[in-house]
Amino acid sequence: MFDIGRRPKTPGCAARRPYPRNGPAGTPYEGGIFVIDIDLSDGYPMKPPKMKFDTKVWHPNVSWQTGAICLDILGDEWSPALSILKVLVTLQSVLAGPEVDLSCWTPGRGFSDADAVVAQEYETDVEKWRQKACAGMESVSYTHLTLPTILLV
């Protein structure tokens, strides 16, 4: 069981663990289970958690090379009032409806020019993008995992 509602008990204590998530229904990711690494050290909750996909994902908001996630609430729009659950729900929503965000390709965001190919493909040939996303999901998602029960505290 993963308890995603609690913060580390000791200030400065690193809380880092993987969180498996189901792929959203009706998307190329449906049926897959994707592992997200969440690091709550380095100033959390005053600073956003560091999150990345450990599972390869062909998505305009995710670096297919590093797993970096382009999500405004993991950057400038972070608020200590946000919970990890809220971030995960938002991430699920972005997986279901990609948003091409060119700010991802600014220095320090974990994206490279090679990642821009995914966004360009999504904007110019969404069917080709969907086929690649489906093919990638079949080869790397953890469909054999059983998701834990998540406690909302």
Side-chain angles (χ1 to χ4, degrees):
M1 235 184 248
F2 292 113
D3 181 348
I4 62 173
R6 297 184 191 267
R7 296 191 174 119
K9 293 180 181 177
T10 308
C13 172
R16 185 179 189 148
R17 59 184 96 143
Y19 287 92
R21 302 297 298 168
N22 279 325
T27 71
Y29 315 109
E30 182 174 10
I33 298 175
F34 301 89
V35 177
I36 302 166
D37 181 63
I38 301 176
D39 183 351
L40 299 179
S41 60
D42 194 31
Y44 180 81
M46 300 312 289
K47 293 183 181 177
K50 294 176 184 169
M51 297 175 69
K52 71 178 190 72
F53 275 89
D54 284 342
T55 310
K56 295 285 185 190
V57 180
W58 189 258
H59 190 282
N61 299 92
V62 180
S63 168
W64 62 271
Q65 295 178 337
T66 66
I69 300 168
C70 184
L71 195 58
D72 59 355
I73 61 174
L74 290 176
D76 296 339
E77 297 299 316
W78 173 255
S79 165
L82 293 171
S83 67
I84 296 300
L85 179 60
K86 171 66 175 169
V87 176
L88 290 173
V89 168
T90 303
L91 182 56
Q92 189 88 349
S93 175
V94 169
L95 280 178
E99 298 176 11
V100 176
D101 182 354
L102 299 179
S103 71
C104 296
W105 291 276
T106 57
R109 294 292 299 264
F111 284 72
S112 71
D113 290 341
D115 293 311
V117 170
V118 182
Q120 290 168 349
E121 188 174 271
Y122 180 77
E123 287 188 320
T124 60
D125 190 348
V126 74
E127 189 52 39
K128 182 179 177 183
W129 168 83
R130 181 177 289 285
Q131 289 172 356
K132 282 187 180 178
C134 286
M137 197 274 307
E138 290 171 4
S139 66
V140 299
S141 69
Y142 299 102
T143 55
H144 64 280
L145 291 177
T146 302
L147 286 179
T149 302
I150 298 176
L151 296 176
L152 304 177
V153 179

